[in-house]
Amino acid sequence: MPEKVPEDIKKEIERLVKELNYHCYRYYVLDSPVISDEEYDRLYLRLKELEERYNYILPDSPTLRIGAPPLDKFEKVRHTEPMLSLDNAFSYDEVREFDMRVKRFLRSVEDIEYTVEPKYDGLAIELTYRNGLLYRASTRGDGYEGEDVTQNIRTIKSVPLKIEEVEAPEEIDIRGEVYMDIDEFEKLNKEREQGGEPLFANPRNAAAGSVRQLDPSITTARKLHLACYGIGAVRGKGFKTQWEFIKWLERARFPIPAVVKLVKGIDKVSNIISEIEEKRRIFLFETDGSVIKVNDFKLQRLLGVKTREPRWAVAYKFPAHQGTTKIKEIMPSVGRTGVITPIALLEPVRIGGVTVSRSTLHNWDEMQRKDIKVGDTVVVERAGEVIPHIITVIKDKRTGKEKPFPILERCPVCGSRVVRGEGEVAVRCIGLNCPSQVQERIRHFASRGAMDIEGLGEKNVELFYSKGLISHFVDIYRLKKEDLLGLPRFAEKSARNLIDAIGKSKKTTFARFLYALGIMHVGEYAAKLLAKNFERPEDLYNVRPERIIEIRQMGEKIARSVSNFFNDPENLKTLETLKSLGLKITNPDFEAKKREKLPLEGLTFVITGTLPRPRKEVEDMIESLGGHTSSLVSKGTDYLIVGEDPGSKLRKAEALGVKRISCDELLKITGRRSRQ
Ligand code: IVH
């Protein structure tokens, strides 16, 4: 029997819930926390302990966000008011036409008030609150009937469990979009690619796939966000305008769109649309347009609905980052782990100012799902930094001459058998000496985040390989200047530079070295974790997977792969050879972990531009002082280190309000002297 709940405990629980919900709001909605993560965890654990001991759990307790058991199926939910879709406008002229229609319908000569905000590319959700508490969350479905996804939506930390700070209506349906940030989407897809799982085509599919999960623990693991923009049925309170409603949402601690403006007259609407389009590049989320809504709810009611779309709103769509072209050829490409990716060679097409001539087809499943054939006319999309991909085949353009691309039985490069792991979509060449894999492994070994050998990129690796100078990455350290002289692109100076760069790379960190080895599933992050826990390469020799799983955040897949690698006598021989060739490995990560409270502990740095010292040296120094370096500016970045000729990261940092410092300032903070 749980103990009876004493009054003071009830009070403490109530206080903790209130406090934790407030800090959640500060962190996830305002993006401006006022306490540390450790302090939050401490309060959370105290609440959890009291709740368990006294079996007293408030309906808005943050502990209710996680731990719900998987469902067999989703229950159906009927929306009290249908969830509508939007009419599109593809040009400013079409937006003007929308305004004229509104005025004509209302017989108004006066300028109309509109709200303007970005259109989020996610999944529409309705949140129902009863007496201020989150009662249910449902998907849009066909607009009339959706699915009950309450337990999944609860796991999204920016979704309020209770309406606070304002008087809550008896019942209210609040609509918004659940979405995933672009960075997060790319990270998720990378992980899925490594794990051989099917990829999400875009952040919207990733968000939808994460919400429509029967097991809420999967949703919890995905970083989802919410932006609220609409109202459905409401009982016990009236709103006069969209703007009043948005301001109410904001006070009630709901996340609202990143930009919402109230303007009068269509000219001002155009200004905001172009402002949003300009800002779009620095938004962390995907947006494909702006939504324009008549502000006055009375006018909205007068305007009404035309089939599925309201006459009082329109979505202006930004010019797409898509183009139409033809697939000339499909070419399989073998990566360093043997994964074979089909690549489409396209008739060059300009999209958003860039010429696109190839596009990834991801894998054979994906190719079959989209029914892609050689000779097809296709729609290609290029979004941000992501590799262009094919959205769809235009079947009407088929002539009958298109040819499907056969499933491979043999590796196109070395002729070895190809296999497909159980439950995987990836097809792999099993030939360990496959020239494509070998070259890719060498290229990876020398690449920037790995041994960082300047001048040893794809072209030179191919050249040296074809001349028989290198057939394994170990051979890089046997290269002599004389070997290079006389090769195309090499003269005295360039040969010396490369040999110097190779020499320099011998001094490296254990984390970089581990990553360079190209062990399956070991990316930069996993390599760093390993380096934090193992001091020297020898400490990993013949390691058991159990020993690696002990490390927090290390999964079984990585553990098995690392263990396999370090139990292979051939691999150990390779490591010994590298040592004898003069490799000097330090381990700042291990040192950093040993020392308590380092000056840069918990801080994330991003570098842009040319620094007065080699970038690698600065990165290693940051890491050795407990800091973390990343190549992407995000909300989580603490400092952007700005060198000469900074890139687009500077703009992004400015937009996000990330602190900017010079290399010298960094050295001052860390108490190191700047080199003159
Ligand atoms: S208003 C009738 N505002 O776009 C009003 N919708 O194409 C309908 N969407 O189903 C919703 N961002 O999922 C509105 N700021 C925004 C939006 C937005 C994204 C989605 C929503 C809707 C779809 C219609």
Side-chain angles (χ1 to χ4, degrees):
M1 269 293 276
E3 298 172 41
K4 182 164 166 9
V5 197
E7 275 313 306
D8 59 331
I9 296 293
K10 275 192 185 168
K11 283 244 159 61
E12 185 177 353
I13 291 182
E14 277 158 27
R15 188 178 52 77
L16 283 167
V17 167
K18 219 174 157 82
E19 221 172 294
L20 284 162
N21 282 341
Y22 174 67
H23 291 306
C24 231
Y25 162 69
R26 295 287 317 200
Y27 192 98
Y28 291 101
V29 178
L30 298 185
D31 200 9
S32 133
V34 282
I35 59 169
S36 66
D37 293 0
E38 289 76 22
E39 182 63 10
Y40 183 90
D41 291 345
R42 198 185 60 75
L43 295 172
Y44 187 92
L45 286 178
R46 172 71 185 154
L47 174 65
K48 186 104 186 128
E49 180 195 319
L50 291 179
E51 285 182 345
E52 274 165 16
R53 185 144 140 224
Y54 295 97
N55 197 15
Y56 183 72
I57 304 175
L58 296 179
D60 59 331
S61 169
T63 61
L64 292 176
R65 287 195 190 269
I66 50 170
L71 296 172
D72 293 332
K73 66 175 180 58
F74 294 116
E75 295 299 329
K76 292 267 182 268
V77 173
R78 253 202 113 67
H79 302 297
T80 312
E81 295 278 344
M83 290 178 80
L84 303 169
S85 45
L86 288 168
D87 207 2
N88 289 325
F90 292 99
S91 65
Y92 282 35
D93 280 348
E94 288 186 25
V95 174
R96 281 182 185 282
E97 282 166 23
F98 157 76
D99 174 59
M100 285 189 310
R101 280 198 303 274
V102 167
K103 282 182 170 165
R104 214 180 308 128
F105 202 95
L106 295 173
R107 298 204 166 78
S108 166
V109 282
E110 292 228 351
D111 277 347
I112 307 285
E113 268 189 350
Y114 293 105
T115 61
V116 189
E117 70 217 19
K119 183 168 193 291
Y120 281 72
D121 209 7
L123 176 74
I125 290 286
E126 178 166 270
L127 304 169
T128 304
Y129 288 81
R130 281 199 180 156
N131 299 318
L133 287 173
L134 175 64
Y135 165 73
R136 194 171 54 201
S138 49
T139 59
R140 176 174 181 272
D142 63 4
Y144 300 100
E145 196 176 73
E147 288 174 326
D148 185 335
V149 287
T150 315
Q151 58 171 1
N152 292 345
I153 295 300
R154 258 180 195 288
T155 66
I156 303 172
K157 305 283 202 323
S158 52
V159 172
L161 298 176
K162 187 179 177 186
I163 296 181
E164 307 247 23
E165 298 299 300
V166 294
E167 212 178 308
E170 254 169 81
E171 181 161 329
I172 184 166
D173 288 339
I174 294 169
R175 276 119 185 233
E177 202 85 352
V178 168
Y179 64 94
M180 188 181 279
D181 278 346
I182 300 167
D183 280 6
E184 194 55 35
F185 154 73
E186 283 168 9
K187 214 170 94 199
L188 176 65
N189 255 0
K190 220 180 232 167
E191 281 166 20
R192 290 172 74 89
E193 188 153 32
Q194 289 208 341
E197 290 168 82
L199 303 185
F200 289 117
N202 49 43
R204 174 164 38 90
N205 287 1
S210 305
V211 170
R212 298 195 66 257
Q213 272 293 339
L214 290 166
D215 182 357
S217 69
I218 299 180
T219 317
T220 312
R222 307 270 170 85
K223 289 206 180 95
L224 297 171
H225 301 274
L226 172 73
C228 295
Y229 49 66
I231 186 166
V234 51
R235 247 194 0 235
K237 177 166 176 59
F239 293 97
K240 287 200 173 63
T241 64
Q242 171 75 8
W243 187 248
E244 188 199 340
F245 172 62
I246 290 283
K247 288 288 145 187
W248 179 87
L249 280 177
E250 199 174 16
R251 261 186 292 129
R253 298 185 176 170
F254 283 82
I256 57 168
V259 176
V260 200
K261 293 270 166 83
L262 172 67
V263 290
K264 196 166 179 158
I266 203 65
D267 291 337
K268 301 229 175 72
V269 167
S270 303
N271 294 343
I272 308 294
I273 298 176
S274 69
E275 185 186 318
I276 292 175
E277 184 159 14
E278 180 55 35
K279 278 208 177 127
R280 176 187 188 195
R281 285 179 297 124
I282 56 160
F283 286 153
L284 302 177
F285 55 89
E286 186 107 317
T287 164
D288 57 351
S290 296
V291 183
I292 300 136
K293 299 171 189 165
V294 170
N295 184 40
D296 192 326
F297 283 161
K298 219 167 35 204
L299 298 187
Q300 284 193 6
R301 272 191 296 276
L302 280 173
L303 285 156
V305 176
K306 176 187 70 189
T307 49
R308 312 286 309 261
E309 290 119 20
R311 287 197 195 85
W312 47 264
V314 74
Y316 165 72
K317 291 297 207 64
F318 298 135
H321 289 267
Q322 291 183 350
T324 303
T325 185
K326 233 174 158 161
I327 300 183
K328 287 197 297 192
E329 208 182 315
I330 294 178
M331 201 184 66
S333 149
V334 189
R336 83 186 135 88
T337 54
V339 171
I340 306 179
T341 309
I343 306 282
L345 303 185
L346 309 168
E347 275 174 10
V349 54
R350 277 187 79 74
I351 306 175
V354 175
T355 303
V356 174
S357 53
R358 39 165 60 209
S359 132
T360 174
L361 298 172
H362 299 296
N363 54 59
W364 269 260
D365 275 16
E366 193 74 6
M367 210 155 69
Q368 262 170 0
R369 199 172 59 75
K370 291 185 180 150
D371 187 20
I372 294 171
K373 295 180 181 169
V374 178
D376 265 336
T377 303
V378 291
V379 179
V380 185
E381 183 175 70
R382 197 193 125 252
E385 304 294 311
V386 197
I387 304 168
H389 68 279
I390 288 172
I391 304 271
T392 187
V393 174
I394 306 179
K395 300 255 171 76
D396 289 351
K397 296 253 166 111
R398 279 199 172 152
T399 60
K401 287 203 187 124
E402 297 74 18
K403 287 195 192 69
F405 190 69
I407 293 183
L408 291 179
E409 279 167 15
R410 300 256 156 210
C411 169
V413 180
C414 72
S416 294
R417 232 161 32 85
V418 301
V419 294
R420 185 172 164 159
E422 214 176 294
E424 288 194 357
V425 290
V427 173
R428 283 198 170 88
C429 155
I430 55 165
L432 268 185
N433 295 318
C434 170
S436 218
Q437 282 185 57
V438 172
Q439 285 180 44
E440 264 298 297
R441 270 199 294 273
I442 299 173
R443 195 201 51 73
H444 170 78
F445 184 83
S447 70
R448 199 126 172 254
M451 301 304 275
D452 194 18
I453 306 176
E454 209 183 314
L456 195 51
E458 191 176 337
K459 283 222 174 75
N460 281 341
V461 169
E462 197 183 326
L463 174 69
F464 301 160
Y465 183 86
S466 67
K467 299 283 174 199
L469 289 169
I470 50 175
S471 56
H472 189 282
F473 53 66
V474 170
D475 300 332
I476 295 173
Y477 293 109
R478 298 193 173 110
L479 281 176
K480 289 188 288 299
K481 196 176 75 183
E482 298 72 54
D483 296 332
L484 311 184
L485 291 174
L487 291 179
R489 297 194 293 276
F490 281 97
E492 175 66 29
K493 185 156 180 277
S494 44
R496 187 160 16 94
N497 284 348
L498 182 56
I499 297 295
D500 283 352
I502 292 173
K504 252 201 259 158
S505 78
K506 286 184 183 172
K507 259 172 72 182
T508 189
T509 66
F510 190 28
R512 278 173 176 276
F513 179 64
L514 274 169
Y515 172 60
L517 291 173
I519 305 166
M520 209 191 311
H521 305 310
V522 178
E524 276 176 285
Y525 187 70
K528 196 147 261 201
L529 270 180
L530 285 167
K532 279 189 178 154
N533 289 278
F534 294 87
E535 189 173 10
R536 303 163 312 140
E538 292 78 3
D539 298 338
L540 276 167
Y541 284 14
N542 301 312
V543 71
R544 314 281 340 134
E546 299 81 309
R547 175 70 188 83
I548 294 168
I549 289 190
E550 279 168 22
I551 306 172
R552 235 180 99 200
Q553 298 179 47
M554 276 293 183
E556 213 172 292
K557 213 162 50 183
I558 300 184
R560 233 178 299 123
S561 165
V562 172
S563 171
N564 282 344
F565 184 92
F566 285 97
N567 277 278
D568 180 314
E570 275 303 310
N571 288 341
L572 300 187
K573 223 174 357 176
T574 301
L575 300 183
E576 288 301 312
T577 312
L578 283 169
K579 230 178 358 178
S580 71
L581 287 167
L583 221 65
K584 291 271 173 300
I585 298 170
T586 54
N587 193 345
D589 300 289
F590 189 81
E591 295 298 318
K593 206 179 158 218
K594 264 202 320 205
R595 257 174 285 136
E596 287 291 324
K597 204 64 208 143
L598 292 162
L600 304 183
E601 199 131 282
L603 296 178
T604 302
F605 293 81
V606 176
I607 301 176
T608 182
T610 314
L611 302 182
R613 296 172 165 221
R615 196 180 264 235
K616 187 171 154 221
E617 191 182 311
V618 176
E619 281 173 2
D620 289 347
M621 184 191 77
I622 292 172
E623 308 272 9
S624 72
L625 294 172
H628 172 71
T629 55
S630 160
S631 55
L632 289 172
V633 176
S634 75
K635 285 185 274 186
T637 310
D638 293 291
Y639 288 98
L640 178 75
I641 304 172
V642 186
E644 264 178 42
D645 293 329
S648 62
K649 290 176 194 161
L650 178 59
R651 245 179 296 124
K652 193 160 174 192
E654 278 169 355
L656 290 174
V658 169
K659 285 183 227 112
R660 282 141 277 157
I661 53 170
S662 68
C663 192
D664 278 356
E665 286 172 297
L666 171 76
L667 296 168
K668 252 186 241 149
I669 303 176
T670 57
R672 302 231 166 159
R673 266 171 198 284
S674 143
R675 200 168 43 184
Q676 292 305 311

